Amino acid sequence: MSRCQFKMKKMKNVFKIFCILFISSVVLTSCEGYGTEKNFNGVQLFYTSEITESEANSLGRYLIESEFADGGEKTVQLNKSGNTYEFRMIVKTGIEQDPEYAELGKYMAAEISTEVFNGAQVDVHFCDEYLETLRVMPMASY
């Protein structure tokens, strides 16, 4: 197995773990304040005015390839603050306190940085059902 194949398999496993973290029944119905909405195989992706449609589409394609977008309903938001991309996702209450999931969030941020945003800084935000940040995980360096 090539390094690229191994890496993609590992990311698919990480994204599968994160799929259980989402509140699948929560799909935001009002776009007001969350940004422009796109849908990628069950993932409701909002992106703010700081993000181009091309960047949103690149992330959406990656979420499908990594099997994060697996047909189950999930809500995420993509924002950019300065030079840092923010991948914001709704998680079940309490997950933000778990150190293992925090480490997975950092790894996820690093993978999104590498695979989607050409190495730019990415932070993963664990959010409540209103996309309010509960905890921020800056990308891991590896």
Side-chain angles (χ1 to χ4, degrees):
M1 179 182 311
S2 74
R3 181 175 179 214
C4 183
Q5 289 171 323
F6 175 76
K7 189 175 177 183
M8 186 54 101
K9 184 176 181 181
K10 187 174 181 181
M11 261 324 289
K12 285 180 181 178
N13 289 334
V14 169
F15 278 116
K16 285 178 184 177
I17 291 168
F18 270 105
C19 287
I20 65 171
L21 301 179
F22 278 92
I23 302 171
S24 60
S25 62
V26 174
V27 177
L28 300 174
T29 56
S30 171
C31 299
E32 207 170 306
Y34 297 117
T36 303
E37 181 182 358
K38 292 182 101 38
N39 289 284
F40 296 93
N41 196 25
V43 173
Q44 182 182 34
L45 168 65
F46 291 99
Y47 63 98
T48 67
S49 60
E50 301 299 317
I51 300 297
T52 67
E53 184 174 12
S54 176
E55 290 171 320
N57 287 335
S58 293
L59 177 61
R61 283 190 300 274
Y62 178 70
L63 295 176
I64 291 170
E65 290 169 8
S66 66
E67 297 181 5
F68 180 85
D70 61 356
E73 293 181 347
K74 301 172 188 80
T75 301
V76 301
Q77 182 188 53
L78 183 60
N79 186 37
K80 192 171 184 184
S81 180
N83 293 325
T84 302
Y85 289 93
E86 298 173 352
F87 180 76
R88 307 168 58 76
M89 59 185 192
I90 296 174
V91 296
K92 291 181 182 177
T93 304
I95 292 296
E96 75 281 358
Q97 299 299 322
D98 189 315
E100 289 181 46
Y101 287 113
E103 284 304 309
L104 287 172
K106 292 176 183 180
Y107 180 75
M108 183 180 188
E111 286 297 314
I112 292 171
S113 169
T114 301
E115 300 297 325
V116 181
F117 298 119
N118 299 314
Q121 178 67 35
V122 174
D123 293 342
V124 168
H125 290 235
F126 287 170
C127 299
D128 66 13
E129 64 271 16
Y130 303 105
L131 284 169
E132 294 294 325
T133 299
L134 300 170
R135 184 169 183 183
V136 178
M137 281 69 54
M139 65 188 221
S141 58
Y142 60 97

